[in-house]
Amino acid sequence: MKLATLNDGSRDGQLMVVSRDLKSAQLADGVARTLQRALDDWSFIAPQLDAIYQDLNRGGGRRSFDFEPKNCMAPLPRAFQWADGSAYVNHVELVRKARGAELPASFWEEPLMYQGGSDDFLGPMDDIVLAREQWGIDFEAEVCVITDDVPMGVTADEAHQRIRLLMLANDVSLRNLIPEELAKGFGFVQSKPATSFSPVAVTPDELGDAWKGGKVHLPLLSTWNGKLVGKPQAGVDMVFNFPQLIAHLAKTRNVRAGSIIGSGTVSNKDSKKGYSCIAEQRCLEMIAGGEAVTPFMAFGDTIRIEMLDDGKSVFGAIEQTVKPA
C-alpha cells in the first residue's frame, strides 16, 4: 500500500491512497482524515485503506484523480518524534578519519542517534530556504521507517513487527555550524534545519524481496544539479538494521505511533557507488590529498533523491531547490 498527504492548506493535510505506479490517487477522507489518524488505529483502518488501494490498482476508484507530487506535503507533515540514526558506520568512520580521529569500538556495537525537530517537515518538492550559503548547506539521502506503538524494552525481533511504513528523507545539514554546536556537548539544533520526505510512504510488503532483514535492498539515487553523484545500495554496509534502531530508541521509553526513525546517510565502503551527502565526498578528498575541493550547495542548486525498483520509482522523488530566505 502507498500513502501520501495532500496539501490542502491545513497543518496536517489530507490522507491520500496512491496507486502502485504513482499515477493516480484517492482521498481517504471516508476512512481517515490524516496519516496520523490511520496510524493511531492501524489494525482497524489499514484494511480499509488497502481496499481503496486495490481498487486503484485495478483502474477503479470513482473519486480518483491524477497524482501530483508537487501537491504533496511530507507523508507526516509533523510527527510526535523524529529520531535519526547513523546505521552506516562507514560514513562515521570516514568523517572521523578525515580529521585524524579514531573510531571507538563501541560505534560498531551500538548505534548513534539524535533527536531531530519534528514539528515542521518539508514536502518532497518544497524549496530548502536558508539565510546563508556560508553555513555549508548539504543534502543527506536516507531511508526511514514510521512505527506503530512500540513498548519500552522491545527486542529487535519484536520491533520488526512494529514497522508500518517506509519512506525516503533529505536530512539537510549545515556543515559549518556542526563543529561548534557539537563541541558544546548537547547535540544538533541550529545545524539541522527542517527535514524533507518523499511524496509517498509505503508498507513493507510493497518492497517484496527488497525488504529483507530489516533493510531495504535497493540503490538510493542522489542527483545534484542534474548529475548523478550517488547510487549506494541501502541494504549493503548497514551495520544496524531498522529493528535494531527502534530497539535502541525504545530501550528506556515507549515510542508512540507515528514516530519516524532514520537510517542516517546511506553509505557504502565501495566509493565507486558515489555519495549520499557532500561531506562524505569531501572526507574522501581530504583522506586522499589533504584538502576538500567539492563545494557545499549554493543558492539555486537542486537535489533529487529517489529509489528505483526495476526502473520504477518506489516512493516518488524528493526534488528540491536551495533558495535564500
Side-chain angles (χ1 to χ4, degrees):
M1 184 163 56
K2 299 192 176 188
L3 303 173
T5 294
L6 177 69
N7 187 351
D8 64 352
S10 67
R11 288 182 184 271
D12 299 303
Q14 289 190 67
L15 178 61
M16 297 185 286
V17 182
V18 182
S19 62
R20 182 172 285 116
D21 60 10
L22 304 181
K23 291 183 178 179
S24 61
Q26 181 174 317
L27 291 177
D29 49 350
V31 179
R33 168 81 183 183
T34 66
L35 179 54
Q36 183 60 53
R37 174 69 188 92
L39 290 162
D40 286 340
D41 197 5
W42 187 256
S43 61
F44 177 69
I45 292 176
Q48 299 175 65
L49 296 175
D50 188 59
I52 298 172
Y53 181 63
Q54 299 304 329
D55 198 28
L56 278 173
N57 290 330
R58 288 191 295 266
R62 291 190 301 272
R63 298 190 298 134
S64 66
F65 50 87
D66 291 343
F67 177 63
E68 295 285 354
K70 66 182 180 182
N71 296 328
C72 288
M73 305 171 80
L76 280 173
R78 52 180 176 169
F80 288 114
Q81 181 163 222
W82 159 231
D84 196 18
S86 193
Y88 298 87
V89 180
N90 177 66
H91 171 74
V92 184
E93 190 171 33
L94 286 174
V95 171
R96 294 181 71 90
K97 187 175 181 180
R99 66 172 191 257
E102 291 292 324
L103 185 75
S106 62
F107 282 30
W108 295 98
E109 301 162 1
E110 191 172 44
L112 296 172
M113 187 171 284
Y114 83 92
Q115 196 87 40
S118 62
D119 58 325
D120 183 31
F121 293 138
L122 297 181
M125 300 185 75
D126 290 345
D127 293 332
I128 301 168
V129 180
L130 294 164
R132 298 181 185 177
E133 288 180 339
Q134 292 81 1
W135 286 340
I137 305 165
D138 197 358
F139 63 88
E140 283 193 51
E142 304 187 14
V143 183
C144 305
V145 297
I146 303 175
T147 73
D148 196 352
D149 285 326
V150 181
M152 179 172 59
V154 70
T155 66
D157 286 342
E158 294 165 341
H160 198 287
Q161 307 305 316
R162 302 287 177 162
I163 296 171
R164 292 291 169 252
L165 297 161
L166 294 102
M167 56 185 179
L168 305 181
N170 180 15
D171 184 40
V172 175
S173 289
L174 303 178
R175 298 296 182 184
N176 293 338
L177 299 185
I178 287 177
E180 187 173 316
E181 192 160 48
L182 290 185
K184 297 176 181 177
F186 255 37
F188 302 120
V189 179
Q190 293 178 341
S191 50
K192 285 289 187 177
T195 303
S196 317
F197 293 95
S198 55
V200 169
V202 310
T203 49
D205 61 288
E206 283 295 319
L207 295 168
D209 292 339
W211 176 244
K212 183 170 58 180
K215 305 175 184 180
V216 179
H217 296 265
L218 290 170
L220 182 59
L221 311 179
S222 296
T223 304
W224 179 18
N225 290 334
K227 178 184 177 182
L228 181 66
V229 296
K231 53 178 179 179
Q233 288 285 340
V236 175
D237 301 319
M238 189 182 190
V239 176
F240 305 102
N241 65 19
F242 281 111
Q244 289 172 310
L245 292 176
I246 295 168
H248 176 80
L249 179 63
K251 181 176 180 178
T252 59
R253 53 175 159 162
N254 295 315
V255 175
R256 293 308 184 193
S259 292
I260 304 171
I261 292 89
S263 66
T265 305
V266 176
S267 175
N268 286 170
K269 292 180 180 179
D270 181 2
S271 61
K272 293 179 181 178
K273 296 295 184 180
Y275 53 90
S276 298
C277 71
I278 301 168
E280 187 164 308
Q281 174 64 12
R282 288 169 60 89
C283 286
L284 287 169
E285 292 166 352
M286 292 173 68
I287 293 167
E291 183 179 356
V293 296
T294 301
F296 290 117
M297 299 182 82
F299 294 143
D301 280 7
T302 60
I303 178 64
R304 180 183 175 95
I305 298 168
E306 191 171 20
M307 185 170 271
L308 304 180
D309 187 4
D310 196 24
K312 299 175 183 177
S313 185
V314 179
F315 305 92
I318 298 171
E319 194 162 3
Q320 299 177 284
T321 301
V322 181
K323 292 189 176 180

